[in-house]
Amino acid sequence: MKKYKSNKDSRVIISQLMLPSHSNFSGKIHGGYILSLMDQIAFACASKHSEAYCVTASVDRVDFLKPIEVGELVTLKASVNHVGNTSMVVGVRVESENIQTGKMKHCNSSYFTMVAKNNKGESISIPGLILENKTAIRRFVRSIIRKEDATLRRNRFKESEFEPESHLEILKEYNVKVNL
C-alpha cells in the first residue's frame, strides 16, 4: 500500500545568526554561504519526507532580492511542494531579521529538486504528498509548470538544429561581437 505524508510532516525551519566570517568583501553575507544553508535545509526536508538519504538534482532560479547584513538573524523555511516517484521539489524561503529593530525582510526563495537514494546510490520510491489546502495545491501545480517550462527551455535550441545566422539580429541589442 502506498504511503502518503503531508508537507507539515517534513517541514523544517532553521535560524542562524550571521557572523562577520559569513560576509563578503562588501560586508554583506556571501550569497554562496546562503546557498549552502539552503541546500542543507532542502536536504533535511527531503530526507524527512522520504525517510532516506537525498541528493540535490537541480536548483531552480535563485534571485537575491535583498542583502543580508552581519548581525541579522536568518531564518530558512523548507517544505515539500511536489513529489514524483523518486524525486521531490522542496521550496526554500530565506528571511532575515534585524534583531535591534525587529524588521523582517524576504531575501530569496528557490526550489530544490531532491532525489531519494538507497545505500547503493540507487534512486528509491518516496511517499506521496497529501495536499490539504489551496496553498499546497497551488505549490504542487506551480512545480509542474516550472518543470514543463524547464523542459521547453532545454529543448528550445537543440544543437543539431540551431542556426546562428537566424539569430544575429537579436544579438545586436547586446554587448557582443560575433566573429564567425
Side-chain angles (χ1 to χ4, degrees), residues 14-176:
I14 60 170
S15 294
Q16 185 171 345
L17 183 65
M18 294 296 103
L19 303 174
S21 61
H22 304 139
S23 67
N24 59 24
F25 294 115
S26 67
K28 308 296 184 199
I29 300 305
H30 196 283
Y33 182 71
I34 298 301
L35 285 171
S36 174
L37 291 176
M38 292 172 77
D39 190 50
Q40 289 174 43
I41 195 170
F43 167 83
C45 181
S47 295
K48 206 171 168 185
H49 180 83
S50 65
E51 300 170 4
Y53 178 78
C54 292
V55 297
T56 305
S58 69
V59 180
D60 197 52
R61 182 180 171 135
V62 179
D63 291 320
F64 292 95
L65 306 173
K66 295 193 171 89
I68 300 171
E69 308 288 337
V70 170
E72 290 184 334
L73 184 65
V74 168
T75 299
L76 295 95
K77 300 174 182 178
S79 64
V80 175
N81 291 353
H82 179 273
V83 297
N85 293 320
T86 63
S87 66
M88 63 216 94
V89 174
V90 176
V92 178
R93 180 180 173 95
V94 180
E95 300 171 339
S96 70
E97 177 183 3
N98 180 309
I99 294 173
Q100 295 173 319
T101 66
K103 183 179 178 192
M104 299 284 294
K105 59 187 173 186
H106 174 213
C107 300
N108 65 24
S109 295
S110 190
Y111 304 94
F112 286 67
T113 300
M114 310 296 289
V115 179
K117 300 286 186 176
N118 64 16
N119 292 336
K120 297 176 186 173
E122 301 163 333
S123 298
I124 58 171
S125 293
I126 61 171
L129 186 62
I130 301 168
L131 304 177
E132 299 178 304
N133 54 46
K134 280 174 57 173
T135 299
I137 294 168
R138 179 179 53 81
R139 288 176 177 169
F140 196 94
V141 172
R142 283 184 67 186
S143 292
I144 294 168
I145 292 167
R146 268 194 311 279
K147 186 176 181 180
E148 290 171 352
D149 289 348
T151 301
L152 287 172
R153 278 193 313 272
R154 268 194 312 276
N155 294 334
R156 187 170 180 194
F157 293 114
K158 295 201 187 269
E159 190 173 347
S160 61
E161 300 168 6
F162 183 70
E163 296 295 331
E165 295 78 15
S166 63
H167 294 85
L168 292 178
E169 191 63 33
I170 194 171
L171 293 176
K172 290 180 182 177
E173 298 176 32
Y174 294 90
N175 188 19
V176 296

